[in-house]
Amino acid sequence: EFGGDSRDQRSFLAWCSLWLSAGFRVCCPGGVLCCFSDWRQVPVMSDAIQCGGWTWRNLCTWWKPGCRMQKGRFSSSAEFVLYGTKGKHDSDGEASPQNVVKCATMTGDAKEHIAEKPGEVVEWAISVSRPNSTILDPFMGSGTTGVAAVQMGRNFIGIEREPRYFEIACKRIEDAQRQGDFFIEGSVAA
């Protein structure tokens, strides 16, 4: 469990619409939104994205092979990324990735947050953003998005309400900044 995970569908829609519209206001024209969701929240999240002012563009799938297998039922081995833009689609992203990525979930000692995403999945989502853009993660958790942003040559703003996770995220992002990335032209390790 984590804080704030107790809203009904109506209050969840209203709450998401508020933070999505705040993100919309600070985003540059043509900027992108990638919002992770499980299957239960996809309808509400698509509404909230549009209520927040964004143009919903696609539903992408993170396939987690072997995850949550249920005998006699379809597995629950996918998470979804609702993709949108602020106005007209900006085609300055580095990649044109497929809308499906296959990657195992975080497990064991490597996992520091209940909803932690693998770096590979976050990099897949970030790849549609402009080079040198600023990535905003209003629910930073353990900082995987910040680490991926640093490694991909993006700026990063993260928000996290839980002090424990905020400290973990800051350490991980600082470590990534010190390491630098030898594959990004002009990147210098501190």
Side-chain angles (χ1 to χ4, degrees), residues 78-144:
E79 192 165 329
F80 301 94
V81 177
L82 290 93
Y83 165 67
T85 61
K86 181 174 182 172
K88 185 179 174 197
H89 179 62
D90 185 347
S91 59
D92 286 343
E94 292 177 351
S96 180
Q98 292 294 316
N99 71 335
V100 177
V101 67
K102 177 183 174 184
C103 184
T105 60
M106 300 290 295
T107 58
D109 293 339
K111 186 174 180 176
E112 300 196 65
H113 188 280
I114 189 172
E116 187 169 345
K117 313 288 186 270
E120 176 184 341
V121 172
V122 176
E123 289 175 10
W124 166 70
I126 290 174
S127 71
V128 295
S129 67
R130 289 182 223 139
N132 301 312
S133 60
T134 298
I135 306 299
L136 168 63
D137 187 347
F139 309 100
M140 179 170 58
S142 61
T144 303

Side-chain angles (χ1 to χ4, degrees), residues 131-167:
N132 301 312
S133 60
T134 298
I135 306 299
L136 168 63
D137 187 347
F139 309 100
M140 179 170 58
S142 61
T144 303
T145 302
V147 170
V150 167
Q151 291 174 339
M152 295 178 72
R154 306 301 199 269
N155 301 301
F156 178 73
I157 298 170
I159 302 167
E160 176 54 50
R161 69 181 247 173
E162 302 291 336
R164 174 177 166 239
Y165 292 124
F166 181 79
E167 293 301 321

Side-chain angles (χ1 to χ4, degrees), residues 18-34:
L18 291 171
W19 62 261
L20 284 160
S21 65
F24 183 83
R25 280 192 306 273
V26 300
C27 185
C28 296
V32 300
L33 165 78
C34 291

Side-chain angles (χ1 to χ4, degrees), residues 6-123:
S6 59
R7 292 178 173 85
D8 63 21
Q9 292 297 301
R10 285 189 177 127
S11 62
F12 183 73
L13 172 62
W15 176 69
C16 289
S17 298
L18 291 171
W19 62 261
L20 284 160
S21 65
F24 183 83
R25 280 192 306 273
V26 300
C27 185
C28 296
V32 300
L33 165 78
C34 291
C35 185
F36 284 85
S37 178
D38 80 348
W39 66 271
R40 293 168 290 199
Q41 298 301 341
V42 167
V44 173
M45 284 307 303
S46 67
D47 289 346
I49 285 168
Q50 294 168 86
C51 288
W54 299 87
T55 302
W56 183 28
R57 299 280 180 192
N58 203 340
L59 180 64
C60 306
T61 305
W62 166 25
W63 174 34
K64 308 180 240 186
C67 183
R68 299 180 81 182
M69 303 305 288
Q70 300 172 9
K71 188 174 182 177
R73 300 179 184 183
F74 287 106
S75 69
S76 293
S77 58
E79 192 165 329
F80 301 94
V81 177
L82 290 93
Y83 165 67
T85 61
K86 181 174 182 172
K88 185 179 174 197
H89 179 62
D90 185 347
S91 59
D92 286 343
E94 292 177 351
S96 180
Q98 292 294 316
N99 71 335
V100 177
V101 67
K102 177 183 174 184
C103 184
T105 60
M106 300 290 295
T107 58
D109 293 339
K111 186 174 180 176
E112 300 196 65
H113 188 280
I114 189 172
E116 187 169 345
K117 313 288 186 270
E120 176 184 341
V121 172
V122 176
E123 289 175 10

